[in-house]
Amino acid sequence: VQLQASGGGLVQPGGSLRLSCAASGFTFSENTMAWYRQAPGKTREMVATITVGGNTWYGDSVNARFTISRDNSKNTVYLQMNTLKPEDTAVYLCNTRGPSTSYIDYWGQGTQVTVSS
């Protein structure tokens, strides 16, 4: 199982970024996909989740600003982040869990997002 996240970078407050996570090594369409984030000194938190059927959930701190989506034809999950705030600064990690991976959590290496002026 491989999860390759990309799209992070430095952005000013109020700006936008789109993260991508390319998946391989399992049947993408059978698994729930999620984005988590971890800032220095803080616990890892769920940012957004999308199920096989397209149902989505968001963390309270990002609801209405971030949008998760998936393209099963490309084995890729996306995170559109708008109206970014300094407190969104973190390493963003891609996660998968589901029948195709025996309900074991797998994680990508993460991509750094820094929101600063």
Side-chain angles (χ1 to χ4, degrees), residues 17-93:
L17 280 175
R18 188 194 195 204
L19 305 183
S20 300
C21 174
S24 62
F26 65 102
T27 306
F28 181 82
S29 61
E30 293 183 356
N31 269 28
T32 292
M33 301 298 299
W35 287 96
Y36 285 71
R37 68 186 182 188
Q38 187 158 19
K42 294 187 177 181
T43 58
R44 187 172 294 182
E45 66 169 327
M46 191 278 290
V47 175
T49 300
I50 186 165
T51 67
V52 170
N55 294 316
T56 57
W57 284 268
Y58 296 93
D60 290 342
S61 61
V62 307
N63 200 16
R65 296 188 297 123
F66 291 8
T67 302
I68 189 171
S69 60
R70 64 190 296 161
D71 185 338
N72 289 345
S73 69
K74 296 182 179 179
N75 289 355
T76 301
V77 61
Y78 304 96
L79 184 68
Q80 178 67 44
M81 306 186 294
N82 298 327
T83 319
L84 283 161
K85 304 176 181 180
E87 51 264 42
D88 294 319
T89 296
V91 174
Y92 283 70
L93 302 130

Side-chain angles (χ1 to χ4, degrees), residues 1-3 24-28 30-33 95-106:
V1 175
Q2 289 194 335
L3 301 169
S24 62
F26 65 102
T27 306
F28 181 82
E30 293 183 356
N31 269 28
T32 292
M33 301 298 299
N95 166 272
T96 188
R97 191 172 192 269
S100 184
T101 51
S102 302
Y103 295 97
I104 297 171
D105 282 304
Y106 283 88

